[in-house]
Amino acid sequence: MSNIIITGKDLTLEQIAAICRGHAKIELAEEAKQNIIESRKVVDDLVAEEKVVYGITTGFGKFSDVVISQDQCKALQKNLIITHAVGAGNPFSEDIARGIMLLRINNLVKGFSGIRLETVQTMVDMLNKGVTAFIPEKGSLGASGDLAPLSHMVLPMLGLGMAYYEGELLPGAEAMKRAGIPTIELSAKEGLALNNGTQAMTSAGSLALYDALNLLKVADIADALCFEAQNGVVDALDHRVHDVRPHSGQLATARNLLKLLEGSKNTTRQGEIRVQDAYSLRCSPQIHGASKDAINYVLDKVNIEINSVTDNPIIFKEDRAGISGGNFHGQPMALSFDFLGIGVAELANVSERRIERLVNPAYSDLPAFLTPHGGVCSGFMIVQYSAAALVSENKVLAHPASVDSIPSSAGQEDHVSMGTIAARKAGEIAKNVRRVLAMELMVACQGIDMRGNKGLGKGTQAAYDLVRKQVATLDDDRELYGDINYCEEIIENGSLIKAVEEAIGTAIETR
């Protein structure tokens, strides 16, 4: 596989996943290298001329009015990193930590940061050779950039901090040595160029978004299986219903369900068994569709952010200016990732209701808890409990982080975004949603078997077959967590979506 070329202009969500999770290699575009060199010359000139520019020849935050002499510039940048690396909590997962470095590289190569080429190349080498900084996931306010997480990212570059290499957590200097990457000494502006930006929140949020987009597809698959298990009324999917309220996500969901159910002999028409279904089936195009629209709004914002400059000050080489602005402020991402968490949480909210309708005999004509031996066997009773617990946890996590702000730096930084908290929460919500959807897949397949399968649709047959490849129909009670684990695995590794899309001959729509 050829290297992914980093230009600063066209990085995609799919490339982020390939690099951060698939360990695809990267290299800098020649144009990007030239941008870095030209931007660095401006910084060198500003230092030589002793111009007063924030973070280059001044202190930081409240100390912005303290002028720094030329011979103190290196100490200023190192001190910035070592004093700001005060994160807390568990480390970010490897994929998020790699994403933080990747997105910082993509920011720097645009040529507005004044960093040296050799410093950026050190980061490229770390990504390509698998040196991943130990970055605590808590401690960022999401304005002035993700200062604490990004500072932890830098420490191994200086031979400090901790880093993972070949599965082992090592002192930063040792990890760099084993990988054959020389450590560096920061020069003027470089500490600030490395730790002032939105890359921690954007990495965590981007990977949560990538997962959420896939969960949109899985939710429609699980929903379609429930249509099969409940003899769902497909009239509610008629395009005419949705054409008169043409929200794009709603339209896409209805089309998806019809494709997945094409050829089904289990679904019904209006009046054959009942006139209408409960909302969790009948309104699923509207419910799933609204989440699609929300998540695609976030996608549009993330596509802007991952290819933007979030540095401060920003170096403009045309007129040799260093302008102190606020592009490091995470508010655009904070609101987006709060919205992401809410949008993806709703997929589990309605999924749990569909599970309840399958296991509760008050809501269907299926045996209680989908067991043929009720009493001595509990069947899927507690599966619904677990789903309900996860859904309830998501309701707590979906409370927006961005509505809060605490002033910092003696009031100089008097409004902050809390965007990194929003991104982390969205990731946790997505994991819970994946588990609930895995439960729905398993329960829906049991419902189909207990109903008496008259013939599944093209897409639902493929999904059913993949589940049944390892999860047998439940007769007598058995341990169920392994079955749920398998259903979650086929969601996470993409094999469920792949099997279904091959069967229906087209991609499941997400917008």
Side-chain angles (χ1 to χ4, degrees):
M1 181 179 179
S2 59
N3 292 352
I4 293 173
I5 307 300
I6 303 300
T7 67
K9 299 182 290 188
D10 51 13
L11 187 66
T12 67
L13 197 62
E14 290 72 23
Q15 288 175 329
I16 291 172
I19 295 162
C20 298
R21 293 176 173 173
H23 290 258
K25 299 292 193 296
I26 68 170
E27 63 180 281
L28 303 181
E30 290 303 316
E31 180 186 0
K33 293 178 183 179
Q34 192 59 37
N35 289 338
I36 295 168
I37 292 168
E38 292 175 3
S39 178
R40 180 63 200 180
K41 187 178 185 307
V42 175
V43 170
D44 288 338
D45 290 345
L46 291 172
V47 172
E49 295 165 12
E50 298 184 344
K51 294 286 182 68
V52 178
V53 181
Y54 174 78
I56 300 177
T57 56
T58 76
F60 307 105
K62 181 61 177 176
F63 292 138
S64 61
D65 55 352
V66 178
V67 177
I68 305 298
S69 65
Q70 186 171 343
D71 61 351
Q72 293 176 313
C73 282
K74 287 186 177 181
L76 174 70
Q77 300 304 316
K78 181 180 179 180
N79 289 342
L80 173 70
I81 297 301
I82 62 178
T83 62
H84 287 46
V86 289
N90 295 322
F92 278 115
S93 59
E94 181 188 16
D95 56 350
I96 293 175
R98 285 174 59 80
I100 292 170
M101 184 166 283
L102 169 65
L103 293 177
R104 197 67 203 152
I105 292 168
N106 202 52
N107 174 95
L108 295 169
V109 301
K110 294 179 76 69
F112 293 91
S113 302
I115 199 166
R116 293 174 300 159
L117 178 58
E118 52 264 43
T119 303
V120 180
Q121 188 59 50
T122 298
M123 301 169 72
V124 172
D125 292 342
M126 290 172 70
L127 263 184
N128 286 342
K129 295 184 178 182
V131 177
T132 305
F134 179 100
I135 305 175
E137 63 182 357
K138 299 180 182 180
S140 175
L141 296 174
S144 294
D146 287 308
L147 292 171
L150 288 169
S151 295
H152 281 279
M153 177 200 75
V154 178
L155 289 177
M157 300 169 65
L158 311 182
L160 303 171
M162 304 292 289
Y164 295 96
Y165 181 66
E166 295 184 342
E168 188 177 355
L169 182 60
L170 301 164
E174 180 63 19
M176 296 289 276
K177 180 181 177 182
R178 290 194 192 182
I181 306 171
T183 58
I184 63 169
E185 183 181 22
L186 296 176
S187 186
K189 175 65 166 68
E190 291 197 298
L192 196 58
L194 289 165
N195 80 349
N196 203 322
T198 63
Q199 282 68 44
M201 72 180 77
T202 309
S203 175
S206 293
L207 290 167
L209 172 62
Y210 181 85
D211 293 336
L213 287 163
N214 285 322
L215 292 174
L216 288 173
K217 296 186 176 188
V218 174
D220 285 356
I221 295 169
D223 183 19
L225 285 168
C226 286
F227 264 88
E228 300 274 17
Q230 294 276 41
N231 298 137
V233 179
V234 295
D235 295 73
L237 307 177
D238 190 306
H239 73 89
R240 292 171 294 176
V241 173
H242 306 286
D243 287 345
V244 296
R245 194 198 192 194
H247 292 290
S248 60
Q250 178 178 331
L251 290 164
T253 304
R255 288 193 297 265
N256 286 343
L257 291 171
L258 288 172
K259 290 172 189 173
L260 292 164
L261 293 167
E262 184 182 345
S264 171
K265 295 180 173 57
N266 297 309
T267 57
T268 60
R269 301 305 301 268
Q270 190 169 293
E272 289 180 351
I273 295 177
R274 68 187 77 88
V275 174
Q276 60 183 22
D277 290 314
Y279 286 3
S280 55
L281 281 184
R282 176 163 43 112
C283 300
S284 54
Q286 290 80 2
I287 298 167
H288 289 195
S291 288
K292 285 182 175 69
D293 291 343
I295 291 168
N296 277 292
Y297 167 84
V298 180
L299 176 60
D300 291 342
K301 293 300 180 183
V302 165
N303 282 335
I304 293 170
E305 188 76 0
I306 61 179
N307 291 295
S308 292
V309 174
T310 60
D311 207 342
N312 183 56
I314 297 175
I315 306 300
F316 296 96
K317 54 183 179 287
E318 293 79 11
D319 58 356
R320 300 172 64 252
I323 299 178
S324 184
N327 280 5
F328 51 72
H329 201 293
Q331 194 74 357
M333 291 297 94
L335 293 173
S336 295
F337 294 143
D338 276 336
F339 200 18
L340 173 63
I342 293 167
V344 74
E346 277 300 293
L347 299 177
N349 281 354
V350 70
S351 173
E352 184 276 331
R353 289 293 82 197
R354 290 194 293 262
I355 292 171
E356 169 71 358
R357 298 204 75 82
L358 283 168
V359 302
N360 188 339
Y363 292 151
S364 78
D365 55 355
L366 292 167
F369 308 112
L370 300 181
T371 175
H373 309 297
V376 67
C377 292
S378 295
F380 293 88
M381 180 189 296
I382 310 303
V383 174
Q384 185 268 331
Y385 286 37
S386 183
L390 292 170
V391 164
S392 187
E393 180 178 329
N394 278 353
K395 291 171 185 175
V396 174
L397 291 172
H399 178 83
S402 57
V403 296
D404 187 31
S405 178
I406 296 178
S408 57
S409 196
Q412 176 76 357
E413 298 161 6
D414 54 359
H415 180 280
V416 298
S417 77
M418 304 300 183
T420 313
I421 299 171
R424 287 174 37 236
K425 292 194 304 92
E428 284 300 306
I429 291 169
K431 290 175 185 175
N432 289 341
V433 172
R434 184 175 67 208
R435 188 71 173 180
V436 174
L437 291 174
M439 295 174 184
E440 185 182 2
L441 292 173
M442 179 183 69
V443 172
C445 288
Q446 179 77 5
I448 289 166
D449 290 345
M450 299 213 72
R451 168 82 56 195
N453 184 4
K454 297 177 182 177
L456 298 171
K458 287 182 180 179
T460 47
Q461 183 69 61
Y464 175 90
D465 288 344
L466 188 59
V467 172
R468 285 286 175 255
K469 188 175 181 180
Q470 191 160 318
V471 178
T473 304
L474 186 70
D475 185 19
D476 292 322
D477 279 356
R478 64 172 184 264
E479 294 170 304
L480 292 174
Y481 65 86
D483 295 343
I484 302 170
N485 288 347
Y486 170 75
C487 290
E488 188 171 6
E489 180 185 334
I490 62 176
I491 293 172
E492 188 173 10
N493 65 22
S495 59
L496 175 68
I497 293 171
K498 183 174 184 289
V500 171
E501 289 185 335
E502 287 178 353
I504 63 175
T506 187
I508 300 170
E509 298 177 60
T510 58
R511 66 186 312 163

